[in-house]
């Protein structure tokens, strides 16, 4: 374990390198930071840090830069995550609070994360297995047309128009709507097929074709695997970033949704942040990046994950603070719905 002085030197090197993108020398550290030791002592500490693999010297005449191991220790020993300003918190609340359904919540979240962190933002849609039915609405659109709207407790809204329905009178549609809501209210989406299996037998013979058509579309809408769907934002930010690997490798890796979901990690407690740095990312295309992620959800239950991807030379305290704050706001919005 490093002593407090060497940790302070490492912290100063990380902060300066992230800020300037220039290797950091002992004279710079002595002049900019209150380390309370001589430049010679700082040099000795830098030699020790380099021998332990926390920093490296890219050129013989240059200062030092952090390694993945150095960033890891910096993150692990962070005393505080940078809090957002009051203005930033109000902006988040206002921006996300205007969303009307799950698609808009996810779209706004990914834009907001990209703007706050200036990184590439990733937001996973809430898992199908962790959503329950809040309401089913059926709206007659004509003698042979019905619109079905499925609303979940996580804000997901599925809207489908069903054509070619014989005998779709307003009374028949209203009776079916009440029957569906009695059968499905509060049911997990994975329980829906069993919950509606006997429903056609509960309607009059003349309305069974209507019931079968609506149930067919309802079950079809549940087949979509939303837990494998992610939204990306801020990919233009990659142009301003520096990677040890090629930008093309990072872009190619970002195209693989399954890889992104695996890298975001398992959705644990919504208050928990995960930071994966450099070689800690199993996918080769992300080994010059760092990924900061968190679960989001209602109460202590995570529904899905969100996070950002950027170079290992990132503002970890600020990025971690933004990811945590946005995850909490999204969770509170979903809980409110």
């Amino acid at each position: 374990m490093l002593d407090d002085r060497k940790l302070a030197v490492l912290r100063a090197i990380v902060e300066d390198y992230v800020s300037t993108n220039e290797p950091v020398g002992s004279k710079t550290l002595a002049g900019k930071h209150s380390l309370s030791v001589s430049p010679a002592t700082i040099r000795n500490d830098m030699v020790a840090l380099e021998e332990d693999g926390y920093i490296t010297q890219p050129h013989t005449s240059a200062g030092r830069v952090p390694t993945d191991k150095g960033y890891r220790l910096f993150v692990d020993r962070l005393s505080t995550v940078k809090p957002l300003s009051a203005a930033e918190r109000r902006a988040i609340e206002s921006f996300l609070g205007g969303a009307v359904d799950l698609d808009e919540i996810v779209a706004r979240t990914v834009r907001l994360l990209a703007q706050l962190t200036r990184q590439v933002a990733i937001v996973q849609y809430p898992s199908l297995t962790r959503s329950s039915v809040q309401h089913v609405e059926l709206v007659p659109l004509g003698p042979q047309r019905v619109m079905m709207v499925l609303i979940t407790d996580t804000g997901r809204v599925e809207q489908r128009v069903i054509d070619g329905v014989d005998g779709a009178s307003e009374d028949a549609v209203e009776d079916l709507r009440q029957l569906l809501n009695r059968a499905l209210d509060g049911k997990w989406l994975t329980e829906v097929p069993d919950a509606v299996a006997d429903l056609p037998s509960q309607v009059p013979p003349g309305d069974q074709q209507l019931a079968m058509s609506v149930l067919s579309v309802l079950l079809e809408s549940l087949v979509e695997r939303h837990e494998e769907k992610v939204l990306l934002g801020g990919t233009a930010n990659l142009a301003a970033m520096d990677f040890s690997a090629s930008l093309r490798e990072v872009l190619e890796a970002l195209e693989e949704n399954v890889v992104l979901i695996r890298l975001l990690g398992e959705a644990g407690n919504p208050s928990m942040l995960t930071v994966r740095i450099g070689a800690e990312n199993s996918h080769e295309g992300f080994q010059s990046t760092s990924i900061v992620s968190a679960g989001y959800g209602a109460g202590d239950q995570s529904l899905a994950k969100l996070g950002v991807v950027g170079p290992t030379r990132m503002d970890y305290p600020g990025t971690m603070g933004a990811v945590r704050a946005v995850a909490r706001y999204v969770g509170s919005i979903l809980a409110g719905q």
Side-chain angles (χ1 to χ4, degrees):
M1 295 294 294
L2 299 181
D3 59 41
D4 288 344
R5 193 184 69 214
K6 290 187 179 66
L7 280 171
V9 171
L10 175 62
R11 187 179 299 113
I13 291 171
V14 171
E15 290 173 353
D16 281 8
Y17 182 61
V18 168
S19 174
T20 67
N21 198 20
E22 295 291 338
V24 183
S26 56
K27 289 183 179 179
T28 300
L29 293 179
K32 287 180 63 176
H33 300 271
S34 301
L35 297 172
S36 303
V37 291
S38 67
T41 301
I42 294 174
R43 280 195 296 275
N44 290 335
D45 287 342
M46 292 175 74
V47 170
L49 288 168
E50 187 170 8
E51 289 175 349
D52 289 340
Y54 295 106
I55 59 175
T56 188
Q57 191 174 27
H59 309 290
T60 53
S61 60
R64 269 69 166 185
V65 301
T67 61
D68 288 356
K69 183 180 178 182
Y71 285 125
R72 177 79 268 164
L73 185 61
F74 172 80
V75 169
D76 289 345
R77 297 298 291 270
L78 273 178
S79 57
T80 58
V81 173
K82 182 181 176 183
L84 298 184
S85 68
E88 287 173 323
R89 291 196 300 271
R90 285 194 299 271
I92 291 176
E93 194 168 1
S94 173
F95 188 67
L96 294 183
V100 296
D101 58 28
L102 182 63
D103 286 328
E104 192 172 358
I105 290 172
V106 172
R108 288 187 179 218
T109 299
V110 85
R111 284 165 52 199
L112 181 65
L113 260 183
Q115 290 169 6
L116 285 174
T117 63
R118 296 183 178 85
Q119 315 282 3
V120 178
I122 310 169
V123 179
Q124 180 190 16
Y125 271 73
S127 172
L128 185 69
T129 59
R130 293 173 180 156
S131 299
S132 62
V133 177
Q134 187 174 75
H135 184 70
V136 179
E137 189 60 59
L138 296 178
V139 182
L141 299 179
Q144 292 188 319
R145 242 180 158 208
V146 174
M147 180 172 68
M148 182 201 74
V149 182
L150 171 68
I151 304 170
T152 74
D153 64 330
T154 54
R156 174 180 165 190
V157 178
E158 288 286 339
Q159 181 175 302
R160 303 292 179 92
V161 174
I162 308 164
D163 287 309
V165 180
D166 291 329
S169 68
E170 289 191 13
D171 288 343
V173 171
E174 174 60 21
D175 290 344
L176 181 58
R177 184 187 72 81
Q178 292 183 19
L179 193 60
L180 278 171
N181 281 292
R182 283 197 298 269
L184 299 180
D185 184 38
K187 289 283 194 299
W188 296 109
L189 297 194
T190 50
E191 298 174 326
V192 169
D194 288 338
V196 300
D198 297 330
L199 194 140
S201 64
Q202 300 176 38
V203 301
D207 297 336
Q208 286 186 351
Q209 196 263 338
L210 167 66
M212 293 294 290
S213 298
V214 170
L215 291 179
S216 175
V217 172
L218 172 65
L219 295 175
E220 180 185 295
S221 72
L222 299 181
V223 172
E224 295 183 10
R225 299 185 60 82
H226 274 242
E227 62 265 38
E228 294 181 358
K229 183 178 178 182
V230 296
L231 201 62
L232 285 179
T235 50
N237 291 330
L238 289 170
M241 299 176 187
D242 54 301
F243 298 99
S244 57
S246 73
L247 180 58
R248 179 175 179 176
E249 289 178 6
V250 177
L251 284 168
E252 288 176 348
L254 285 170
E255 291 178 354
E256 301 182 41
N257 280 10
V258 175
V259 171
L260 292 178
I261 293 170
R262 191 181 304 127
L263 286 170
L264 285 175
E266 290 300 320
N269 189 306
S271 64
M272 184 182 297
L273 282 168
T274 300
V275 182
R276 289 187 173 86
I277 300 169
E280 295 172 0
N281 296 307
S282 57
H283 194 285
E284 187 175 349
F286 286 117
Q287 292 189 351
S288 63
T289 74
S290 285
I291 298 172
V292 180
S293 61
Y296 70 87
D300 59 357
Q301 181 191 34
S302 284
L303 299 169
K305 298 152 280 187
L306 57 78
V308 298
V309 178
T312 54
R313 187 186 69 84
M314 72 162 59
D315 172 16
Y316 288 97
T319 300
M320 292 164 69
V323 168
R324 184 176 66 181
V326 171
R328 286 177 175 174
Y329 275 104
V330 175
S332 68
I333 289 170
L334 293 179
Q337 292 189 351

